[in-house]
C-alpha cells in the first residue's frame, strides 16, 4: 500500500503543490503534495479544511428536533440523516425497527430509494461524467455538465431527469424536495394519497429504462479503457455495509457485514447497536475528518471502505431482477471474490440506481404506502442508535438523552468518514504511480480529483473532530505583524509564543 507517503521523512526543503479546492465534490477539501528536487512525491494528503461540529451543538436540544436539525448537515443527502436520526429516535420512544407499521416502514424505504436515486444521478451525471466521457486530461472548460449536455444531450438530459424523479419521490413523501419532514418518532406523519402515488407511477417505467441505459453506459466506459480503469487509484481494502438476513443488499435496515480484501467474512449480521465494540475512530493532526477502523484488526489493518462498491461486493445478491443481473456481470468482471477498482465505484453506484428504480416501482404498487396506520408507541429509553446505508455508505447516528428528554451525547460516523483512509490511499496511489517524477500540469493534477470523486465524498457531512482538532490563534497589530501566537496541538498540548 502507500501509507509511507502520508508523512515525508524530512519535509524541510521539499516543494509543495496544492490542489485547492477539490472541485465537483460536496464540501471543501484540498490535496497537498510534497515533492523533492526531481519531482518525486514524498508526501500526499487529502485534507478536510472545514469544520461543522454537529455532534456538539445538537447537545442540549430536545430529541424530537433531531430528525429535522441533522438534515442541515447536507443539501445532497438530507434524507439519509433524517432517517438515521429517526431510527435512533424510534428507540428513544421504545420502538424498534421491527415494531414499525408496514405502512411506515415502506414509506421510509420509498423515501430512501428516492434519496439514493437522486444522489447517485447527481454524482454520476453532473459531477463525474465529464471526466469519464471527455477524459481525465480534457480541456478544463469541458469538465462540467453543461458541456455534457452540449455534446451528449441525450445522456445529459437523462441524468437531469433521473435526479428530478428521485426528488419528486422525496417531495411526495416528505412535502419538499430538500429538507422535508416525513419520519417522526415511531413512524411517519403522512401516507401517499392516491393522486401522489399515480403521479409517481406514470413515469417509473421511463425511469427504469434510463437507469438500465446508465448501467450500460458505465459498463461500456469502464471496459473500453482496460486495464487503466481497473488499475487507476485502485487499492485493496476491507469492506463494510448493511445486509439483509438472507444476504441480500440492504439500504434501509439490516445487520453489519464486513469482509476482507480477499472476501473472507470478518463479521456478519452484526447488531449495529453494538457498533462501539466493532469500530473505533482515530484522530490525526492534519485533518478535521476522523479515521475509523475495525477494532479487531487494529488501526493499521482495520480501515475499510463503504458505499456502493462495498455494498455490491459484500452482498450475496440483490433482490430486484435487473440490478441482480447487472451485479452478476459486475462481479464476473472483477475476476476474484472482491472488486477493488476505485473507478468501479461508478459502476456499482449505477447498479444501485437501477435497484432503487425497481424498488420504487414495487413500493408504489403496494397499497400499504397509502395506509393510515402510520404510528406506534413504546416506553421511553435513554439511548438510541440509528444506522442506514446513505448513498455514500454506512451512516451511524447515536444519541443519549436525560430525564428531561434533552440530548446529552451525540456521535455520528458519516459515510465519507469511513472512506477517509481509502480516499487518502487512492490519492497516494495516483501520486506515486502516475505523477511522481513528472512535470505537474493541471490535467495531471485533475487525476487526483478524479480518484477522490469516485468515492462521491460529502466532506461537509464528515467533519466532527471537535475537541481534538489543532488550532492556531495569531494576534496581529495594525501593521500586519504577528505579535502573539497560541497553538493547541491535536494531543491537547498548548504552545504559547512566537518562537
Amino acid at each position: 500500500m502507500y501509507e509511507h507517503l502520508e508523512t515525508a521523512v524530512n519535509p524541510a526543503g521539499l516543494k509543495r503543490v496544492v490542489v485547492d479546492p477539490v472541485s465537483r465534490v460536496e464540501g471543501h477539501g484540498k490535496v497537498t503534495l510534497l515533492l523533492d528536487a526531481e519531482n518525486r512525491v514524498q508526501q500526499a494528503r487529502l485534507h478536510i479544511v472545514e469544520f461543522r461540529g454537529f455532534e456538539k451543538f445538537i447537545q442540549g436540544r430536545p430529541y424530537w428536533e433531531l430528525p429535522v436539525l441533522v438534515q442541515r448537515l447536507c443539501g445532497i443527502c438530507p434524507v439519509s440523516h433524517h432517517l438515521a436520526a429517526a431510527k435512533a429516535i424510534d428507540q428513544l420512544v421504545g420502538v424498534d425497527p421491527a415494531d414499525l407499521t408496514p405502512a411506515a416502514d415502506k414509506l421510509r424505504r420509498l423515501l430512501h430509494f428516492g434519496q439514493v436515486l437522486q444522489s447517485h444521478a447527481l454524482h454520476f451525471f453532473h459531477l463525474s461524467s465529464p471526466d469519464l466521457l471527455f477524459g481525465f486530461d480534457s480541456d478544463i472548460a469541458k469538465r462540467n455538465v453543461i458541456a455534457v449536455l452540449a455534446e451528449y444531450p441525450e445522456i445529459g438530459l437523462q441524468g437531469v431527469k433521473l435526479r428530478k424523479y428521485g426528488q419528486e419521490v422525496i417531495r411526495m413523501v416528505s412535502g419538499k424536495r430538500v429538507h422535508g419532514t416525513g419520519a417522526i418518532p415511531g413512524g411517519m406523519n403522512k401516507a401517499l394519497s392516491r393522486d401522489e402515488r399515480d403521479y409517481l407511477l406514470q413515469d417509473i417505467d421511463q425511469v427504469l429504462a434510463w437507469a438500465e441505459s446508465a448501467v450500460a453506459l458505465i459498463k461500456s466506459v469502464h471496459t473500453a479503457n482496460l486495464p487503466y480503469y481497473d488499475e487507476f487509484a485502485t487499492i485493496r481494502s476491507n469492506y463494510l455495509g448493511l445486509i439483509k438476513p438472507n444476504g441480500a443488499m440492504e439500504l434501509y435496515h439490516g445487520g453489519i457485514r464486513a469482509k476482507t480484501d480477499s472476501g473472507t467474512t470478518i463479521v456478519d449480521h452484526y447488531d449495529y447497536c453494538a457498533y462501539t465494540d466493532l469500530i473505533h475512530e482515530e484522530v490525526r493532526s492534519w485533518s478535521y475528518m476522523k479515521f475509523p477502523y475495525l477494532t479487531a484488526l487494529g488501526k493499521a489493518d482495520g480501515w475499510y471502505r463503504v458505499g456502493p462498491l462495498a455494498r455490491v461486493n459484500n452482498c450475496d445478491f440483490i433482490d430486484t431482477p435487473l440490478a441482480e443481473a447487472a451485479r452478476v456481470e459486475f462481479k464476473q468482471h472483477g475476476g476474484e471474490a472482491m472488486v477493488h477498482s476505485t473507478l468501479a465505484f461508478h459502476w456499482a453506484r449505477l447498479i444501485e440506481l437501477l435497484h432503487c428504480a425497481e424498488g420504487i416501482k414495487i413500493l408504489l404498487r403496494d397499497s400499504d404506502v397509502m395506509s393510515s396506520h402510520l404510528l406506534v408507541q413504546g416506553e421511553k429509553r435513554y439511548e438510541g442508535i440509528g444506522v442506514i446505508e446513505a448513498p455514500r455508505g454506512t451512516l451511524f447516528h447515536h444519541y443519549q438523552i436525560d430525564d428531561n428528554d434533552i440530548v446529552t451525547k451525540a456521535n455520528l460516523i458519516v459515510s465519507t468518514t469511513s472512506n477517509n483512509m481509502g480516499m487518502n490511499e487512492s490519492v497516494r496511489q495516483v501520486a506515486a504511480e502516475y505523477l511522481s517524477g513528472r512535470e505537474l500540469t493541471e490535467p495531471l493534477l485533475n487525476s487526483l480529483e478524479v480518484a477522490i470523486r469516485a468515492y462521491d465524498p460529502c466532506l461537509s457531512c464528515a467533519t466532527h473532530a471537535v475537541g481534538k482538532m489543532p488550532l492556531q490563534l495569531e494576534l496581529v497589530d495594525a501593521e500586519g505583524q504577528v505579535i502573539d501566537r497560541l497553538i493547541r496541538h491535536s494531543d491537547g498540548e498548548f504552545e504559547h509564543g512566537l518562537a
Side-chain angles (χ1 to χ4, degrees):
M1 302 302 282
Y2 299 88
E3 295 99 324
H4 63 286
L5 292 180
E6 177 176 334
T7 302
V9 175
N10 184 12
L14 295 178
K15 181 169 60 177
R16 187 167 184 261
V17 175
V18 182
V19 179
D20 185 12
V22 175
S23 62
R24 284 184 278 138
V25 298
E26 205 290 322
H28 302 285
K30 67 179 181 182
V31 174
T32 60
L33 304 177
L34 295 185
L35 312 175
D36 64 17
E38 284 75 42
N39 282 339
R40 291 175 303 210
V41 176
Q42 302 298 316
Q43 177 178 302
R45 291 174 173 175
L46 166 63
H47 305 259
I48 309 307
V49 296
E50 62 180 332
F51 173 69
R52 302 293 298 283
F54 262 72
E55 288 169 326
K56 195 66 179 178
F57 68 71
I58 59 177
Q59 294 178 27
R61 305 304 307 172
Y63 73 81
W64 55 82
E65 290 183 354
L66 297 182
V68 176
L69 282 178
V70 297
Q71 288 191 80
R72 269 60 184 182
L73 275 160
C74 182
I76 295 179
C77 51
V79 170
S80 302
H81 289 289
H82 177 64
L83 290 176
K87 290 178 71 175
I89 301 307
D90 286 344
Q91 293 179 8
L92 295 179
V93 299
V95 177
D96 291 317
D99 299 328
L100 286 181
T101 68
D105 180 78
K106 290 172 185 177
L107 283 163
R108 288 187 183 185
R109 290 176 182 275
L110 179 62
L111 180 62
H112 193 42
F113 279 143
Q115 157 68 21
V116 176
L117 189 150
Q118 71 87 19
S119 180
H120 282 357
L122 171 69
H123 176 262
F124 179 75
F125 290 98
H126 294 243
L127 304 180
S128 287
S129 72
D131 296 319
L132 306 176
L133 295 174
F134 299 127
F136 302 171
D137 57 352
S138 60
D139 183 352
I140 190 172
K142 295 178 67 173
R143 292 189 227 133
N144 55 73
V145 71
I146 303 300
V148 173
L149 284 163
E151 295 204 23
Y152 302 95
E154 186 175 353
I155 292 173
L157 281 173
Q158 286 181 10
V160 171
K161 291 179 178 178
L162 276 168
R163 183 177 186 231
K164 179 185 176 183
Y165 185 81
Q167 290 178 306
E168 285 299 280
V169 172
I170 294 170
R171 185 172 72 88
M172 290 299 108
V173 177
S174 70
K176 294 167 65 179
R177 293 187 182 91
V178 180
H179 297 150
T181 58
I184 56 177
M188 293 289 288
N189 61 9
K190 70 178 277 292
L192 284 185
S193 68
R194 187 170 298 279
D195 287 345
E196 290 169 336
R197 191 277 309 268
D198 292 345
Y199 168 73
L200 294 174
L201 268 176
Q202 67 184 353
D203 291 328
I204 189 59
D205 287 331
Q206 180 60 74
V207 167
L208 265 171
W210 287 335
E212 285 190 87
S213 296
V215 174
L217 171 65
I218 188 58
K219 177 192 168 187
S220 67
V221 169
H222 194 108
T223 56
N225 293 282
L226 296 176
Y228 185 70
Y229 267 47
D230 276 350
E231 297 170 357
F232 177 86
T234 292
I235 53 175
R236 300 181 73 89
S237 70
N238 306 307
Y239 296 93
L240 181 143
L242 295 181
I243 204 80
K244 287 185 177 179
N246 62 1
M249 188 172 73
E250 175 60 284
L251 298 177
Y252 176 69
H253 180 73
I256 292 175
R257 174 179 283 179
K259 289 186 174 182
T260 66
D261 66 329
S262 61
T264 301
T265 300
I266 304 169
V267 295
D268 205 3
H269 305 295
Y270 189 93
D271 180 2
Y272 62 63
C273 288
Y275 82 96
T276 54
D277 294 329
L278 181 68
I279 297 169
H280 284 181
E281 299 174 273
E282 181 188 7
V283 175
R284 300 188 185 184
S285 62
W286 47 270
S287 178
Y288 286 142
M289 191 154 63
K290 298 177 184 176
F291 291 80
Y293 61 94
L294 297 166
T295 52
L297 301 182
K299 294 179 182 178
D301 301 321
W303 60 274
Y304 57 90
R305 292 194 282 181
V306 299
L309 186 62
R311 292 188 288 250
V312 175
N313 262 327
N314 272 356
C315 73
D316 299 328
F317 67 98
I318 300 176
D319 58 5
T320 55
L322 297 176
E324 170 59 9
R327 184 199 69 86
V328 170
E329 195 170 20
F330 174 82
K331 292 299 291 280
Q332 288 173 343
H333 165 78
E336 58 177 318
M338 311 296 271
V339 177
H340 297 293
S341 164
T342 295
L343 290 179
F345 261 100
H346 297 296
W347 193 344
R349 186 170 291 117
L350 294 183
I351 292 172
E352 288 190 342
L353 182 147
L354 177 58
H355 169 60
C356 290
E358 291 182 284
I360 289 169
K361 184 173 182 177
I362 292 169
L363 287 172
L364 290 176
R365 288 179 167 175
D366 190 324
S367 60
D368 280 342
V369 297
M370 296 184 291
S371 168
S372 60
H373 299 293
L374 299 173
L375 203 59
V376 291
Q377 295 180 324
E379 295 295 323
K380 176 181 174 177
R381 301 174 194 167
Y382 290 86
E383 185 171 36
I385 298 173
V387 178
I388 199 168
E389 284 294 329
R392 294 158 186 83
T394 316
L395 170 64
F396 297 76
H397 280 228
H398 181 183
Y399 309 123
Q400 293 176 353
I401 61 173
D402 62 15
D403 289 334
N404 297 315
D405 297 338
I406 300 298
V407 177
T408 57
K409 182 180 179 180
N411 185 46
L412 312 181
I413 302 179
V414 179
S415 320
T416 296
T417 309
S418 291
N419 280 333
N420 193 6
M421 190 64 181
M423 290 190 292
N424 270 283
E425 280 292 289
S426 287
V427 164
R428 291 171 196 138
Q429 195 264 15
V430 172
E433 304 296 336
Y434 299 92
L435 306 186
S436 192
R438 302 179 64 180
E439 191 66 32
L440 296 184
T441 61
E442 191 284 328
L444 277 177
L445 292 176
N446 184 52
S447 297
L448 295 168
E449 298 183 77
V450 170
I452 296 167
R453 284 187 205 111
Y455 290 85
D456 186 18
C458 191
L459 304 177
S460 59
C461 285
T463 56
H464 302 285
V466 68
K468 295 183 179 179
M469 73 277 198
L471 291 173
Q472 178 169 313
L473 299 177
E474 291 184 340
L475 182 62
V476 182
D477 65 16
E479 284 71 42
Q481 297 297 314
V482 177
I483 58 176
D484 200 2
R485 179 181 292 125
L486 178 65
I487 300 173
R488 184 177 70 180
H489 298 286
S490 60
D491 59 5
E493 295 295 318
F494 284 87
E495 179 181 336
H496 187 199
L498 296 176

